[in-house]
Amino acid sequence: MTLTEARNFLRSELLVVAATVVPDQTPTVTQDVGPVDQGALSGDRGPESVCTITVETGDPTTTPDPEAQIGFAAETLESRGWKVTFSEVTDGRHELTARREGYDLTATAETTDWRLTFTGQTPHVDDL
């Protein structure tokens, strides 16, 4: 599998999960910069090695229920083969992490915001 194929898989997976969790809304890709060097933020330069994608969804007309959103996101991810781990709730922020075949993602929801955010990263290019 190429890095572009891995990116496309991750993007479609995030969009499907987001649309399943909040079915009456259209998820929005808010970050998809394409392949980048994993160490780019620390000043390292090298070959492109990972892709990071963020998808947001939610219903602005409803009261935020982050516990329910994260719970349903976990069920949806697990049904699609992801291994899910919940983080401790901190300052009204509910979060989970999930892994599947080298892909990583986080889902976050907060008591003060209607948005549900999924951020995923492809496996390192050497692991594809």
Side-chain angles (χ1 to χ4, degrees):
M1 175 178 286
T2 67
L3 185 56
T4 299
E5 292 168 331
R7 175 199 159 269
N8 292 342
F9 168 77
L10 177 62
R11 183 184 173 106
S12 66
E13 187 72 3
L14 292 173
L15 287 168
V16 166
V17 170
T20 301
V21 175
V22 185
D24 296 333
Q25 301 295 315
T26 302
T28 301
V29 176
T30 58
Q31 174 189 330
D32 184 357
V33 294
V36 296
D37 171 30
Q38 196 168 25
L41 294 178
S42 63
D44 294 339
R45 297 288 177 232
E48 296 170 337
S49 59
V50 295
C51 295
T52 302
I53 300 169
T54 300
V55 171
E56 290 184 355
T57 190
D59 185 349
T61 66
T62 62
T63 302
D65 187 353
E67 186 174 349
Q69 285 182 319
I70 291 296
F72 190 35
E75 290 174 21
T76 303
L77 288 163
E78 287 172 340
S79 75
R80 299 179 67 79
W82 292 83
K83 179 171 176 31
V84 174
T85 305
F86 290 94
S87 299
E88 189 172 319
V89 177
T90 306
D91 296 326
R93 181 182 174 99
H94 296 251
E95 185 173 274
L96 65 76
T97 57
R99 291 193 56 102
R100 176 180 168 186
E101 299 172 359
Y103 293 84
D104 295 303
L105 73 78
T106 60
T108 58
E110 299 185 32
T111 56
T112 58
D113 191 1
W114 54 267
R115 281 184 270 287
L116 175 62
T117 303
F118 295 91
T119 300
Q121 183 173 298
T122 62
H124 191 275
V125 70
D126 293 337
D127 297 330
L128 293 174

